[in-house]
Amino acid sequence: MRGSVVGTAVTLAAGALLTAAMTTATASPPATTATPPPRAGASQPVLVDCLWHRTVRPADFILACGDGNSRLTGLHWSQWGPEGATAVGVNMVNDCKPYCAAGTFRSYPVTVRLDQAKPWKKRPEIQRYDRMTLTYPQGRPEGFKQVMTYPLWD
């Protein structure tokens, strides 16, 4: 009888430890790679991506969220503020030839301009850029103009 009481106590203790470990693991917040939001009261607008993450001065930014066939990389920001933001970098664009899954990514130097800082619908106390303009100083992807302007996610 004494052996079964000890066995039961050990089993209960192991179960309690396992439950505590699992609760701690599931209660932990998920890791994030997004830039932390600006501190409260900060006047810096944010750039909102298609997954609703907000960033300040990101090094990379996906333009074609559905398929990833256009993204900005190596962004170096010279300006970031309420009046706008400016960076230089590279637009990596899939030529989709003969079709997108078999296409080749091509690099195009680009100047990025963000402007029209407005309240974000999701968090009205935060200003977010509403528009992005890309300027290609040299070559550009087929079908693109030298200056392309896009609305940004809200």
Side-chain angles (χ1 to χ4, degrees), residues 14-27:
L17 287 173
L18 181 59
T19 300
M22 290 177 63
T23 303
T24 301
T26 57

Side-chain angles (χ1 to χ4, degrees), residues 3-135:
S4 67
V5 171
V6 171
T8 301
V10 168
T11 301
L12 289 174
L17 287 173
L18 181 59
T19 300
M22 290 177 63
T23 303
T24 301
T26 57
S28 300
T32 179
T33 58
T35 302
R39 57 185 166 68
S43 62
Q44 287 193 11
V46 298
L47 179 59
V48 176
D49 67 18
C50 60
L51 299 174
W52 310 114
H53 297 133
R54 58 187 185 212
T55 60
V56 174
R57 296 180 182 258
D60 302 302
F61 188 79
I62 295 178
L63 294 171
C65 250
D67 56 16
N69 282 327
S70 180
R71 65 182 177 269
L72 300 172
T73 63
L75 295 174
H76 297 281
W77 298 94
S78 59
Q79 176 191 3
W80 191 286
E83 62 287 338
T86 306
V88 294
V90 174
N91 188 5
M92 299 294 297
V93 180
N94 187 346
D95 65 12
C96 290
K97 293 180 181 176
Y99 51 93
C100 290
T104 301
F105 278 89
R106 310 243 182 240
S107 303
Y108 301 93
V110 69
T111 299
V112 179
R113 170 86 181 145
L114 305 174
D115 58 12
Q116 296 185 348
K118 296 180 179 177
W120 185 16
K121 285 181 184 176
K122 183 176 177 178
R123 303 272 310 268
E125 72 277 11
I126 296 174
Q127 295 285 308
R128 59 109 192 154
Y129 292 114
D130 187 56
R131 181 173 66 181
M132 176 183 287
T133 302
L134 303 180
T135 303

